Amino acid sequence: MRRDFCDGIGIARILNATLVLPKFEVAAYWNESSGFADVFDVDYFIQQTKGFVELVKELPEEIVSREPYRVDCSKRKGQFDYVEAVLPALLEHRYISLTPAISQRRDRYPLYAKAALCQGCYNALRLNKALEAKGSELFKLIPKPFLSLHLRFEPDMVAYSQCEYQGLSSTSLNAIEASRGDRKPWTGDAALIWRNRGKCPLTPKETAFVLQSLKIPTDTTIYLAAGDGLMEMEDFTAVYTNVYTKSSLLNSEDIFRMHGNTKAALDYFVSINSDAYIATYFGNMDKMVSAMRAVNRHYKTLALSRRAFANFTAIGLKGVELADALWKSHREDFVMGRGTALPDCFCEFTL
């Protein structure tokens, strides 16, 4: 949600268009729908983006009953694609909706669009007061110092990766198979090539091994920033025993009443404020968290290398040899800390 909306701010500025606060389409993930105000502080956002981009909470009456003209931006990259290919549709129809573009080239934005994106994404976009209060409550309950770990090993995620695993429980294998649909796993040489490209999620057992390879003590306090349905977690908690989740810390009634997106927002809040953050997959949430941590100068941020783990195990490394190789492959990132954000967002400039 944050990623797509941040892109929308930049694109609206490029097109000199008015941005309508979105209604999030999250039914595909959590079987629910919600609006911008259910997660973010609307008034603060509008106030902070004034002068960067025009914003309205609702559509004007004269077009509220119309369906927007839909524009697929999934292949649009940079200023000239938007001006040449999208602006004519906007001028003709006056009201358009954009398909999110996963591969946005924000570095190609003109300076004024970068300014709008940076201001909107990193300064203006904050959780609403109720969610921030709940996030603060959760943060205070976690023993300090702590590491926030975003571990991904849910059945649908593993099924989507098209990877196969040895040694999983029958319960996990059945859950993965039920989620596969048409996405059948790679086999033979193709499966090995796919895994060596780093396409396969680390299991909880593999994650625990990598953390130990990085000399992270097994008594470290870990906040598990993850949704429901993680498989094989007993392999992780058998090694790292001080693991906390929002479900273990917050009132069960509070958790029951929360939507999936608000639960994710709590994980995001804790993760951008934690002493350290580690991602096992480096997906959308990880990119937004690491960017915000970099902006806030929280540099203890690390993405574990699935490719390195696959490459080393493919040549037969195990035990101490594997641990040493993993330490060396992660050492620079682990020591220096790394976050990813639009580089220009670290600069001060005026319009």
Side-chain angles (χ1 to χ4, degrees), residues 113-146:
K114 288 180 180 178
L117 185 149
C118 295
Q119 176 67 11
C121 202
Y122 299 119
N123 296 325
L125 200 56
R126 72 180 186 186
L127 300 181
N128 63 37
K129 288 181 173 59
L131 261 181
E132 192 161 290
K134 186 59 67 175
S136 296
E137 176 189 340
L138 175 59
F139 184 82
K140 291 175 182 176
L141 292 171
I142 305 170
K144 312 296 187 300
F146 74 96

Side-chain angles (χ1 to χ4, degrees), residues 1-6 8-9 19-26 33-49 53 55-58 119-121 123-129 131 259 261-262 265:
M1 290 179 186
R2 292 183 68 96
R3 182 205 68 199
D4 293 342
F5 191 60
C6 289
I9 296 167
L19 188 65
V20 183
L21 293 184
K23 289 182 172 59
F24 300 126
E25 295 181 356
V26 297
S33 61
S34 60
F36 186 88
D38 294 318
V39 179
F40 300 111
D41 187 332
V42 173
D43 293 333
Y44 181 81
F45 181 77
I46 293 175
Q47 173 192 341
Q48 292 295 311
T49 52
V53 65
L55 272 160
V56 293
K57 294 182 180 180
E58 301 288 347
Q119 176 67 11
C121 202
N123 296 325
L125 200 56
R126 72 180 186 186
L127 300 181
N128 63 37
K129 288 181 173 59
L131 261 181
H259 289 168
N261 58 349
T262 52

